[in-house]
Amino acid sequence: MPAPAQSSTTAAGQLFIFDHPEPLWEAAADQIAQTIRRQQGRATLGLATGSTPRALYRILARHHQEGGLSFQNVSTYNLDEYYPISPLDPNSYRLYMHQHLFSKIDIPPNRAHVLDGTVPESAVEAHCAEFERWIEHDGGLDLQLLGIGRNGHIGFNEPSNLPPDQAAALPTRKMPLHPVTRADAARDFGGNEAHVPAFALTLGTRAILSARAILILATGPSKAEAVAKAIQGPVSSQVPASFLHTVAPKVTWMIDRAAAQALR
Ligand code: GLP
């Protein structure tokens, strides 16, 4: 893996700080490729969307096209999806995954799972429970890839006032989006917050924290506060990424200098 400028063990997991994002994407892609190879190609991956993993997916596609990395026997489960949303909507995470990764690798379509933003309201709970059962049936997640929201969310598990042990054990479910999340998402919806769906479906904290390894990425100054609170603050339901403290031995943080600037 490209060498980070700095590495340390923190209360929230192993932390790698890179001077620039490019080697960070390469290192993250290497960890994913290694997970697949270690499992003889049969890995089960939890994937994320947002602006953060775009470059990483470009590199993974290159690993496939030039490095012979096969996804034929890989299963993927995406963290979240807006609700309601059509898979044809340019802002759906289903389309994002198709454009940035699935169409560029050899993953069979029936192994690439994204929560369905079209299920009727009455079927949401069953669909979410089924999604978790599919993951278990696939042997559980070998690696969960995460970004972090400016408010410290993981997936769309937003800050809450629940006791931490409850907030860290939430099931996959429908969630109202936090105002900070809606404001950040507006850039994808023509700059208009009113066009951002009010809800999303998200893999729950319980399933995320159950993954056998967790790789969380953050770049840029806008993530610095959330990163510092998650890594150096207390475990708090106000900062869902702080739940990573509870499973620190299996967590890797890869961040750039800008995202590291609020760490003490
Ligand atoms: C989004 C997604 C998360 C993502 C996070 C950061 O709203 N729900 O899964 O990791 O917020 O997004 P970005 O990478 O665009 O900053």
Side-chain angles (χ1 to χ4, degrees), residues 162-261:
L162 290 171
D165 55 334
Q166 273 179 41
L170 289 167
T172 298
R173 68 206 183 286
K174 183 177 132 192
M175 273 295 288
L177 295 184
H178 188 271
V180 171
T181 303
R182 290 178 60 87
D184 285 350
R187 61 174 183 246
D188 297 327
F189 290 82
N192 189 340
E193 222 174 293
H195 292 164
V196 179
F199 296 93
L201 307 181
T202 185
L203 196 65
T205 43
R206 181 182 59 202
I208 292 172
L209 299 172
S210 300
R212 284 186 278 279
I214 296 175
L215 172 59
I216 178 162
L217 311 178
T219 58
S222 67
K223 298 294 173 67
E225 280 300 318
V227 164
K229 281 187 189 156
I231 295 180
Q232 294 180 328
V235 174
S236 160
S237 305
Q238 285 298 319
V239 184
S242 68
F243 297 143
L244 295 174
H245 287 229
T246 63
V247 292
K250 61 184 182 183
V251 178
T252 305
W253 290 78
M254 292 187 186
I255 68 176
D256 71 353
R257 279 267 166 240
Q261 70 192 15

Side-chain angles (χ1 to χ4, degrees), residues 12-264:
Q14 196 64 29
L15 170 65
F16 295 113
I17 301 175
F18 293 82
D19 282 335
H20 305 287
E22 202 51 38
L24 183 163
W25 309 133
E26 294 281 354
D30 279 0
Q31 186 174 341
I32 294 173
Q34 272 167 25
T35 301
I36 296 172
R37 293 202 166 103
R38 201 180 312 122
Q39 299 286 125
Q40 279 84 40
R42 291 179 193 284
T44 303
L45 304 177
L47 298 181
T49 48
S51 52
T52 306
R54 261 187 221 139
L56 158 65
Y57 290 151
R58 212 170 44 237
I59 294 167
L60 271 185
R62 197 190 69 212
H63 276 282
H64 167 64
Q65 286 151 10
E66 296 168 15
L69 181 69
S70 175
F71 292 77
Q72 277 283 345
N73 294 308
V74 169
S75 294
T76 64
Y77 290 88
N78 263 81
L79 258 184
D80 45 22
E81 177 60 290
Y82 290 113
Y83 185 84
I85 202 160
S86 154
L88 302 177
D89 189 301
N91 288 308
S92 73
Y93 287 161
R94 164 56 77 180
L95 191 63
Y96 169 108
M97 289 309 298
H98 178 76
Q99 287 174 333
H100 293 285
L101 188 65
F102 298 156
S103 63
K104 302 198 159 79
I105 58 176
D106 60 345
I107 189 163
N110 62 349
R111 285 185 178 274
H113 306 86
V114 181
L115 284 154
D116 183 352
T118 71
V119 293
E121 197 75 51
S122 59
V124 162
E125 207 180 311
H127 174 57
C128 290
E130 188 177 44
F131 198 78
E132 288 197 18
R133 281 200 303 276
W134 290 340
I135 292 175
E136 280 161 32
H137 186 257
D138 261 331
L141 298 171
D142 293 302
L143 177 80
Q144 174 66 62
L145 176 67
L146 293 177
I148 181 170
R150 273 198 308 129
N151 61 3
H153 74 206
I154 46 175
F156 277 124
N157 292 284
E158 300 283 25
S160 75
N161 293 318
L162 290 171
D165 55 334
Q166 273 179 41
L170 289 167
T172 298
R173 68 206 183 286
K174 183 177 132 192
M175 273 295 288
L177 295 184
H178 188 271
V180 171
T181 303
R182 290 178 60 87
D184 285 350
R187 61 174 183 246
D188 297 327
F189 290 82
N192 189 340
E193 222 174 293
H195 292 164
V196 179
F199 296 93
L201 307 181
T202 185
L203 196 65
T205 43
R206 181 182 59 202
I208 292 172
L209 299 172
S210 300
R212 284 186 278 279
I214 296 175
L215 172 59
I216 178 162
L217 311 178
T219 58
S222 67
K223 298 294 173 67
E225 280 300 318
V227 164
K229 281 187 189 156
I231 295 180
Q232 294 180 328
V235 174
S236 160
S237 305
Q238 285 298 319
V239 184
S242 68
F243 297 143
L244 295 174
H245 287 229
T246 63
V247 292
K250 61 184 182 183
V251 178
T252 305
W253 290 78
M254 292 187 186
I255 68 176
D256 71 353
R257 279 267 166 240
Q261 70 192 15
L263 289 170
R264 297 180 303 274

